[in-house]
Amino acid sequence: AQSVTQPDIHITVSEGASLELRCNYSYGATPYLFWYVQSPGQGLQLLLKYFSGDTLVQGIKGFEAEFKRSQSSFNLRKPSVHWSDAAEYFCAVGPYGGATNKLIFGTGTLLAVQP
Amino acid sequence: NAGVTQTPKFQVLKTGQSMTLQCAQDMNHEYMSWYRQDPGMGLRLIHYSVGAGITDQGEVPNGYNVSRSTTEDFPLRLLSAAPSQTSVYFCASRVQANQPQHFGDGTRLSIL
């Protein structure tokens, strides 16, 4: 069955430190992969996406992610975290099923940034 | 550029009441979806539509109805609200299946 796992529920990093958020997926075909960010009280904003091609993708706000097929992973990274990066981050994979509109979301990783 | 607009932003209902959550997008997107977000469970798909007149069920459709009479609007109906439907509801749209979704700001619904 298709699934997305974000093993870290909550991460705290210091401002200026590097960040890596983990995402592992189970999917029967070549997936489309996404990272979204959600600030408190807001909807989800797309950070980056992977469809095909270069396995290292660049996104907005200085984020990048690397697709590793052998590890079924799509980890999100940022070299230097800013206080404004504190938010919840969701990994998603899709489409799946008979219809092409379905995405599976992970349960999210809540990022706290210490000054 | 409004994007995806959800109304209301907050709502409190009593058990058994009915309600419609509104969703409108101005990007001429064919694909629209409704998700609910609950702590520790991520986003779960309730219903979705691939175009006007076409809807289908997602992961958690029970207790919800949808319709898609126009490209722009995709309302979600709770016919008889239950406390288990207390959640944050997000509407999303995208231009085609393999493109990222654009999300609204959510509707925070409490059922007493």
Side-chain angles (χ1 to χ4, degrees), chain A residues 33-113:
Chain A
L33 294 158
F34 308 86
W35 274 100
Y36 285 88
V37 60
Q38 183 181 30
S39 298
Q42 301 297 313
L44 279 74
Q45 181 185 19
L46 179 71
L47 283 176
L48 48 78
K49 61 184 185 291
Y50 171 78
F51 287 168
S52 64
D54 193 348
T55 56
L56 183 64
V57 294
Q58 302 297 320
I60 62 171
K61 305 184 180 185
F63 286 92
E64 66 178 26
E66 186 172 13
F67 169 56
K68 292 186 177 180
R69 186 187 301 275
S70 62
Q71 299 178 16
S72 297
S73 69
F74 189 57
N75 294 348
L76 182 70
R77 300 195 294 250
K78 187 171 185 178
S80 178
V81 170
H82 188 262
W83 63 266
S84 61
D85 294 325
E88 190 159 21
Y89 293 79
F90 293 92
C91 181
V93 63
Y96 77 97
T100 57
N101 198 41
K102 299 183 182 180
L103 290 181
I104 306 172
F105 284 84
T107 53
T109 297
L110 187 62
L111 174 65
V113 180

Side-chain angles (χ1 to χ4, degrees), chain B residues 58-92:
Chain B
E59 297 175 70
V60 289
N62 293 340
Y64 307 95
N65 283 344
V66 292
S67 60
R68 185 94 180 272
S69 57
T70 67
T71 299
E72 293 77 20
D73 300 299
F74 191 43
L76 178 71
R77 298 184 185 86
L78 285 71
L79 296 180
S80 179
S84 61
Q85 294 176 305
T86 293
S87 186
V88 181
Y89 291 85
F90 287 99
C91 180

Side-chain angles (χ1 to χ4, degrees), chain B residues 37-111:
Chain B
Q37 183 180 33
D38 301 291
M41 303 193 75
L43 280 80
R44 293 181 292 169
L45 182 65
I46 304 172
H47 284 285
Y48 65 97
S49 169
V50 299
I54 306 170
T55 64
D56 204 349
Q57 297 181 347
E59 297 175 70
V60 289
N62 293 340
Y64 307 95
N65 283 344
V66 292
S67 60
R68 185 94 180 272
S69 57
T70 67
T71 299
E72 293 77 20
D73 300 299
F74 191 43
L76 178 71
R77 298 184 185 86
L78 285 71
L79 296 180
S80 179
S84 61
Q85 294 176 305
T86 293
S87 186
V88 181
Y89 291 85
F90 287 99
C91 180
S93 75
R94 52 182 161 165
V95 62
Q96 58 188 36
N98 63 352
Q99 293 300 311
Q101 304 216 37
H102 297 256
F103 285 85
D105 287 339
T107 294
R108 285 144 188 84
L109 182 62
S110 294
I111 316 280

Side-chain angles (χ1 to χ4, degrees), chain B residues 6-11 19-22 89 106-109:
Chain B
Q6 290 183 239
T7 57
K9 293 190 182 303
F10 303 94
Q11 184 71 48
M19 158 149 210
T20 299
L21 308 186
Q22 301 291 344
Y89 291 85
T107 294
R108 285 144 188 84
L109 182 62

